[in-house]
Amino acid sequence: MVTAVPPAAYPLSVRHLGPNWYATVMGTAVVATAGAALPTHLPALRGVLAGVWALSLALLLVLLLARSAHWARHRDQARAHLLDPATAPFYGCLAMALLAVGGGALAVGQDVIGVRAAVALDAVLFTAGTAVGLAAAVAVPYLMAVRHRVEPGQATPVWLLPLVAPMVSAAVGPRLVPHLPPGQARETLLLLCFALFGLSLLATLLMLPLVFARLLTGGPLPLALTPTLFLVLGPLGQSTTAVGAFADIAPGVVPEPYSQGFGALAVLYGVPVMGFALLWSCLAGAHVWRARRQGMRFAMTWWSFTFPVGTCVTGAEALGRHTGLVAYAGPAVVLYGVLVAAWGTAVVGTVRGLVRGELLAGPGPAPAASRPATARTTSGAVR
């Protein structure tokens, strides 16, 4: 029996603030952007979504400052994060947080800061997020190969995070295309986003079989990591969102027949991929239900229920636009309700954990017979 540690015993500092905390920014920003594209337009909802986006921007600024302090004051711990195979993939979250807030600036943030400021902010965050995302997509797999020495049995959906970041760039980048001069500039950015789509898609297709094989042959994930199964929905929903955005922007930007080709791709790609997303969500949901019955408690991994689900909302919205079918527009509204509920639950759990001092505490002494489900990494990524 493990004695509970009183809250005062937990040191509150940025030493154990890992890159996984950027998931709070991603999950908050997607609530705003997904809500802005819903087929039901409510004037009052627009103001609420703008407020949620402003919250995501504030969270991003706070975390950027806190993580900068982490690197300045605790460089040894920062290096340990990079060399920890359970933590390094979360550096993809930094890129996706920048991109999610930038995309939200044009989706709803312009209601708060104006169109010109929103375009400027999105351009800066898109550029920075894409650069960081590409760096993570190369650096993290490289570290896994030459320094981490991971085994197939250690594969988790977390490995997908640095590979999905370029897909987020592909999905949010087309919003900037109309704000560029006509001609070469617009076409170049659109095709750049398409290249990022291909980069991320092919890399995900290489990594996903490892995750699926680990799940089938290695048994269920540890309880604290079970919510990360929903991370697989991220590349599925985000890629469907991306091809829908290409089809929205392509007319007048790329010549025919490529413009029509993007329109066809939005449906011919999106429909089967969202079908697989439905299958995976049922599988992941069954695992989460099992883990919850076995005592799964709140951890930062619960933020996996937010951003990936949000990408499925925007993917369904894109299919609804391009097919005109209520079969996609209706589920998008239902999924958005699930997203809001998941976000609220994650927020409450995070605030409670911060107040108690548990989420920023360092790894404590391991029990004599510790179980994999309660194991900690140096990042606190599964707390």
Side-chain angles (χ1 to χ4, degrees):
M1 180 176 178
V2 181
T3 304
V5 180
Y10 290 107
L12 291 176
S13 72
V14 298
R15 178 168 177 78
H16 300 287
L17 182 73
N20 56 309
W21 278 80
Y22 285 112
T24 63
V25 179
M26 298 160 53
T28 302
V30 80
V31 171
T33 53
L38 287 174
T40 55
H41 300 284
L42 301 175
L45 178 62
R46 184 80 180 182
V48 173
L49 297 177
V52 173
W53 172 82
L55 175 61
S56 72
L57 176 60
L59 285 173
L60 176 63
L61 295 175
V62 169
L63 280 173
L64 287 174
L65 290 174
R67 288 285 298 161
S68 297
H70 176 270
W71 271 93
R73 301 177 184 176
H74 307 288
R75 198 174 297 272
D76 62 321
Q77 186 72 0
R79 291 196 184 99
H81 286 172
L82 283 172
L83 297 178
D84 183 355
T87 308
F90 283 102
Y91 273 90
C93 291
L94 167 59
M96 290 186 280
L98 295 169
L99 293 164
V101 174
L106 281 180
V108 293
Q110 60 181 308
D111 297 349
V112 179
I113 62 177
V115 176
R116 291 186 62 182
V119 172
L121 179 61
D122 189 15
V124 171
L125 293 181
F126 172 77
T127 302
T130 300
V132 173
L134 289 173
V138 174
V140 174
Y142 176 80
L143 287 174
M144 293 175 69
V146 303
R147 295 296 299 272
H148 295 166
R149 300 302 181 188
V150 294
E151 299 178 358
Q154 296 175 290
T156 73
V158 172
W159 289 9
L160 294 171
L161 288 173
L163 306 179
V164 178
M167 188 66 77
V168 181
S169 294
V172 303
R175 290 182 182 273
L176 286 169
V177 171
H179 299 281
L180 293 176
Q184 289 272 336
R186 292 185 179 182
E187 185 173 356
T188 299
L189 179 56
L190 181 59
L191 292 183
L192 171 64
C193 292
F194 193 34
L196 292 169
F197 164 85
L199 180 158
S200 180
L201 177 63
L202 294 176
T204 298
L205 291 176
L206 290 174
M207 188 69 75
L208 188 55
L210 297 177
V211 176
F212 193 42
R214 154 65 182 87
L215 192 63
L216 294 182
T217 61
L221 294 176
L223 297 184
L225 286 175
T226 302
T228 64
L229 288 171
F230 276 80
L231 293 177
V232 175
L233 296 178
L236 304 177
Q238 198 68 277
S239 61
T240 304
T241 303
V243 293
F246 300 156
D248 292 337
I249 299 298
V253 175
V254 294
E256 299 294 350
Y258 306 116
S259 176
Q260 293 182 355
F262 276 119
L265 181 65
V267 176
L268 297 180
Y269 173 87
V271 170
V273 168
M274 289 302 289
F276 180 67
L278 176 61
L279 169 66
W280 190 271
S281 63
C282 293
L283 176 63
H287 276 266
V288 169
W289 177 260
R290 172 189 173 276
R292 189 63 174 160
R293 293 187 65 181
Q294 291 189 354
M296 181 183 72
R297 301 176 58 189
F298 177 79
M300 286 298 291
T301 52
W302 282 37
W303 282 95
S304 303
F305 298 136
T306 57
F307 190 78
V309 173
T311 67
C312 289
V313 175
T314 55
E317 291 166 345
L319 285 176
R321 289 196 309 272
H322 291 284
T323 63
L325 296 176
V326 179
Y328 289 107
V333 176
V334 175
L335 272 176
Y336 186 72
V338 174
L339 168 63
V340 172
W343 176 74
T345 302
V347 168
V348 171
T350 303
V351 171
R352 183 185 294 120
L354 285 173
V355 170
R356 294 177 177 175
E358 299 170 353
L359 294 180
L360 292 178
S370 59
R371 296 175 298 174
T374 59
R376 290 184 175 182
T377 67
T378 58
S379 69
V382 297
R383 292 195 188 92

